[in-house]
Amino acid sequence: MVIGLKRKERRGRLILEIQIGKSVRRFEWTIEPRYWRNPIIAFLIWASLPLILWSAGYYSILSTLVFANVLSIIAVAYSLRVIGTGRLDFGPTFFVAMGGYVAALFSKWYGLSPWETFFLSFLIGMALGALLSPIVVISKGIYYTLITFILPFVLYEITYWRSDIFGAETGIPGVPPLLPIINPVMAELSYFYFSVAIVILYTFIVDKILRSKYGLMMGVLNEDEEIANMYGINTNLIKVIIFIVTSGMISVAGWFLAHYYMSFTGVLYLSPEFLTLTLMAAVLGGKGAVYGAVIGSYFVVGLREFTRMWLGGYSTIVFYASVLMLLLVLPEGLWGLYRKRRYREYVPTIKVRRKT
């Protein structure tokens, strides 16, 4: 067995080649400042935001930031689902509730730890996604949208029908905390950074998928499914896989909520209001924009809290009117404002390798 290591430098890139026998693995890193400078600045602002609010005495806003991170988790996974299936989906809250119920019930019934319920919530979410995945292939257009729209309401009715299990409006109490920290302020800060870590992991995974050849296939599928089929892309397989994987990813948000609040009331997350927040965060951030989903989540949550604090009874009207106006003015979402200035950074390139 021959093991070799070769380092190359090209304009704006650092290339590392590792040869093991006849197999060669190649890794590339972008080193031009324009690619990593802005993300680092954004991350530093993001990480320092709760510390600034804490030092200023705004302790109550920390929980709002945690909720914004949870919404980001859902919105990032939802953005991948929209691109991978090429259809609007109104059912992400169904998987949020299922993930929360799995975490709460298994913790209560079997005394499982939060890390054990994490894998259960993710796996059961994927299993439910696998059971429901045929609707991505069978139903089209408005029929798919209606089916996914009905799913949360079906579960909503089940929670009242079997209130002895799901608790209906009272919820399921006694869920163990994810981070057993006594100090409430330190606990909120810890939950914030923990949820930030999940958001960063999700954005990294989704970004890598969208920049790969599979992302190119999903882009063609999202634009025109018939053309994708003409090019030999197995669109049905891609749609099913994306639906299953994102179902598990969205279920993790419910798992986090159950252990964060130490109880889970699923009817709150099956309500039309929460569904609207989720959709607005993803769409206002920018359709298919993974980073825009995070920006949209923070903007929606921040705008909602601002209107609640300062406008009282008029908050709901002003909030939805403001979001609607922004959706009309910004067809590419909030991320589109940044992309217009940095367009060349996001133009995809296709590399064709030929064997000689």
Side-chain angles (χ1 to χ4, degrees), residues 40-348:
I40 289 178
I41 294 174
F43 174 75
L44 291 176
I45 295 174
W46 190 11
S48 60
L49 182 61
L51 298 176
I52 296 173
L53 295 174
W54 179 29
S55 60
Y58 296 100
Y59 308 115
S60 60
I61 301 182
L62 295 178
S63 60
T64 303
L65 297 179
V66 174
F67 180 74
N69 288 338
V70 175
L71 201 62
S72 299
I73 293 172
I74 304 170
V76 170
Y78 178 78
S79 297
L80 177 61
R81 174 175 287 189
V82 170
I83 296 175
T85 60
R87 298 168 187 177
L88 285 176
D89 189 324
F90 283 2
T93 55
F94 172 83
F95 295 98
V96 174
M98 288 305 304
Y101 278 129
V102 168
L105 291 175
F106 277 88
S107 298
K108 183 179 179 179
W109 290 347
Y110 302 104
L112 299 184
S113 67
W115 303 112
E116 291 172 324
T117 58
F118 168 79
F119 291 104
L120 278 176
S121 297
F122 182 75
L123 293 176
I124 292 178
M126 289 186 62
L128 288 171
L131 289 174
L132 296 171
S133 61
I135 65 175
V136 186
V137 179
I138 299 172
S139 57
K140 296 182 179 181
I142 189 65
Y143 299 102
Y144 174 79
T145 304
L146 285 175
I147 292 173
T148 56
F149 182 73
I150 291 171
L151 282 175
F153 293 101
V154 172
L155 183 57
Y156 185 91
E157 293 298 328
I158 293 175
T159 58
Y160 281 95
W161 173 49
R162 295 306 306 269
S163 58
D164 56 322
I165 298 176
F166 299 103
E169 293 180 350
T170 59
I172 303 172
V175 182
L178 178 62
L179 303 173
I181 302 174
I182 299 176
N183 188 305
V185 177
M186 293 303 298
E188 290 292 340
L189 286 172
S190 301
Y191 278 115
F192 172 82
Y193 289 112
F194 186 89
S195 56
V196 164
I198 299 177
V199 176
I200 292 175
L201 177 63
Y202 273 27
T203 52
F204 177 79
I205 293 173
V206 175
D207 182 73
K208 287 297 181 183
I209 292 174
L210 295 180
R211 291 179 185 273
S212 67
K213 63 179 181 180
Y214 303 103
L216 181 62
M217 294 178 186
M218 287 187 289
V220 177
L221 185 157
N222 191 61
E223 290 295 329
D224 196 314
E225 188 172 340
E226 293 183 1
I227 292 179
N229 288 323
M230 290 174 57
Y231 277 103
I233 299 173
N234 192 341
T235 56
N236 289 337
L237 180 61
I238 292 176
K239 288 187 289 187
V240 168
I241 291 176
I242 291 298
F243 189 87
I244 294 173
V245 172
T246 53
S247 297
M249 294 172 67
I250 295 172
S251 298
V252 171
W255 163 81
F256 180 87
L257 288 168
H259 291 287
Y260 172 60
Y261 291 113
M262 291 181 288
S263 66
F264 190 76
T265 307
V267 295
L268 296 177
Y269 308 105
L270 292 168
S271 64
E273 180 184 3
F274 187 74
L275 173 62
T276 305
L277 285 178
T278 304
L279 297 177
M280 287 192 301
V283 176
L284 187 59
K287 183 182 178 182
V290 56
Y291 302 106
V294 181
I295 298 173
S297 299
Y298 268 78
F299 183 86
V300 167
V301 173
L303 181 62
R304 188 183 68 160
E305 292 302 314
F306 176 82
T307 53
R308 281 181 177 179
M309 291 173 58
W310 298 101
L311 299 177
Y314 298 98
S315 60
T316 303
I317 299 174
V318 174
F319 170 67
Y320 286 111
S322 301
V323 173
L324 179 60
M325 184 173 59
L326 287 172
L327 289 174
L328 295 174
V329 175
L330 303 174
E332 295 185 9
L334 296 171
W335 185 249
L337 296 175
Y338 178 81
R339 188 161 46 189
K340 286 180 180 179
R341 297 185 59 188
R342 302 283 179 175
Y343 180 74
R344 293 184 63 186
E345 298 182 18
Y346 304 98
V347 176

